[in-house]
Amino acid sequence: MAEQVDTARRAPLSRDRVLRAAVALADEAGIDSLSMRKLAQELGVVPMALYKHVANKEELLDGMVDVVVDEIGPPAGDADWKSAVRKRILSARQALLRHPWASRVIETRTTPTPVVLTYMDSLIGMFRTGGFSADLTHHVMHAMGSRILGFTQEMFDDSPSVDPATQAVIFQEMATKYPYVTEIAMAAAHEDDSIVGQGCDDQFEFEFALDLLLDGFERLRETWPSGPRPRAT
Amino acid sequence: MAEQVDTARRAPLSRDRVLRAAVALADEAGIDSLSMRKLAQELGVVPMALYKHVANKEELLDGMVDVVVDEIGPPAGDADWKSAVRKRILSARQALLRHPWASRVIETRTTPTPVVLTYMDSLIGMFRTGGFSADLTHHVMHAMGSRILGFTQEMFDDSPSVDPATQAVIFQEMATKYPYVTEIAMAAAHEDDSIVGQGCDDQFEFEFALDLLLDGFERLRETWPSGPRPRAT
DNA sequence: CTTGACAGGTGTACGACGTACACCTAGTGT
DNA sequence: ACACTAGGTGTACGTCGTACACCTGTCAAG
């Protein structure tokens, strides 16, 4: 009777507990190490037990996205649509930065969950009450693209860090084969001691694009016809 | 000695043949049905044979992306940077539309291949020779985000088409729970007889956002300081 | 107090997947 | 004539998601 770790002692499972454990596991071990089996083990339970709380892995991932989206705070009370939207999007970005796997997972969802729909509805509402026509709001939401949920793709991630000598050789090759890319990478790294890239201020880039779009939206808001755009005949 | 379908008759494999077959398979069966085993079968070969031509599945996917990027034509000869960039991006978009799996796969690549770098270099070059500073070009490329390779995420795909009665119920629920989303969906579907969405003109949306950005870039081009942006301090 | 339904955890098993590793085989340069 | 090698083969392992039958404790109705 030495060990009795069985079913009795541990807290009972629940959809919520499963989702939170999944998020935690993905946060610390990466989304690729998130399998139903590992998750079950983490919860001290047999893999199939999870299926009493989520239909399948897809639904698990949907639920995980919901957890992240729930972390986005409620809209700020700003009277000004522009700063209200800006704050909300930046808050979404913070949520996504806390869970690096989330953007990748969101991209693979095929159908929005109610939680996501609620978030989108509230965001759309900010434009509508800010004086945008339904039609213009539609285009504007499309224009925001991946920024709606607070992320943009990174193009390069940290390279596997070879020694400086070969790094220099690689750099020379890069510079001759892709002069423009190299120039841009240099410009980005001007406040950094690494040779290539990495020193790019993502937050700045994100806000740069966000503000560019918001400014564009503002201009359109005043000139856009209030009805739907005229149909081609 | 009835059948002699063995190794002798079929054309020899090659990295190129493997990649093309993979692209074809993904095109017609979807990216989820692309496995090393199915691909091998398609080529009349044992799975492990593929590994003599690609290191692993990741490299296969990299190669497939290369095939797609190669389909993007060379830059137009326009003197005007803006229309040249515009054409190139729209041409990239066409390539991606021919291979619906490509955008999803591109998002999962961790390191750009030489082919992708070449494309990016040429695109950056269009801004640089168009009078953009290296610094501004950097930000501008970030701002383009997923549009660089010609796609934006779709939010909804075709729903599994239930009967009209329940569809109406669903619609009612949607309209009360997510009034703004519904309104937008309606606005988009005004030239369509389906009840919810679907009638959204993706090409229009894409160009809307693209032009919004390009116009914004144009304005910045004239006001942006030529050096790198000043450091905080 | 019995019963039986049901929510929730278990155990086994299957078919896919990516790919390591040892092997074979045909063609080539010496 | 022979070793080398590029390229195709066969077997095998570990991992994955999950179908299906089963067990067990709880609790309401008879």
Side-chain angles (χ1 to χ4, degrees), chain B residues 94-169:
Chain B
Q94 288 311 308
L96 287 228
L97 286 180
R98 280 194 293 274
H99 309 288
W101 47 270
S103 45
R104 203 186 288 283
V105 173
I106 288 170
E107 283 163 3
T108 69
R109 301 306 78 211
T110 54
T111 297
T113 63
V115 172
V116 171
L117 277 173
T118 300
Y119 171 71
M120 301 244 295
D121 200 66
S122 131
L123 196 59
I124 293 174
M126 294 167 90
F127 284 108
R128 292 292 284 119
T129 60
F132 286 69
S133 75
D135 187 53
L136 179 56
T137 304
H138 176 214
H139 305 321
V140 150
M141 289 290 286
H142 269 277
M144 300 275 298
S146 60
R147 260 164 286 269
I148 286 179
L149 272 164
F151 67 92
T152 350
Q153 294 90 332
E154 316 302 337
M155 270 294 160
F156 307 86
D157 53 356
D158 316 55
S159 47
S161 75
V162 287
D163 69 303
T166 59
Q167 181 117 3
V169 174

Side-chain angles (χ1 to χ4, degrees), chain B residues 2-10 44:
Chain B
E3 42 182 352
Q4 246 286 52
V5 202
D6 320 27
T7 162
R9 187 69 78 262
R10 65 159 180 269

Side-chain angles (χ1 to χ4, degrees), chain B residues 35-38 48 51 56-57:
Chain B
S35 67
M36 297 301 270
R37 297 168 123 102
K38 294 235 190 75
M48 286 310 292
Y51 288 85
N56 47 48
K57 193 174 183 183

Side-chain angles (χ1 to χ4, degrees), chain A residues 36-37 48 51 57:
Chain A
M36 296 302 269
R37 297 169 123 100
M48 286 312 290
Y51 289 85
K57 193 175 184 182

Side-chain angles (χ1 to χ4, degrees), chain A residues 79-113:
Chain A
D80 176 21
W81 69 267
K82 201 169 164 189
S83 69
V85 168
R86 190 175 201 276
K87 280 182 192 162
R88 197 94 203 272
I89 301 280
L90 290 178
S91 156
R93 174 169 164 81
Q94 287 312 307
L96 286 228
L97 287 179
R98 279 194 294 275
H99 309 287
W101 47 269
S103 44
R104 203 186 288 283
V105 172
I106 288 170
E107 283 163 3
T108 68
R109 299 310 75 211
T110 53
T111 296
T113 63

Side-chain angles (χ1 to χ4, degrees), chain A residues 156 174 178-186, chain B residues 117 120-122 124:
Chain A
F156 307 86
M174 285 275 294
Y178 320 110
Y180 288 124
V181 167
T182 309
E183 183 189 43
I184 296 307
M186 294 295 292
Chain B
L117 277 173
M120 301 244 295
D121 200 66
S122 131
I124 293 174

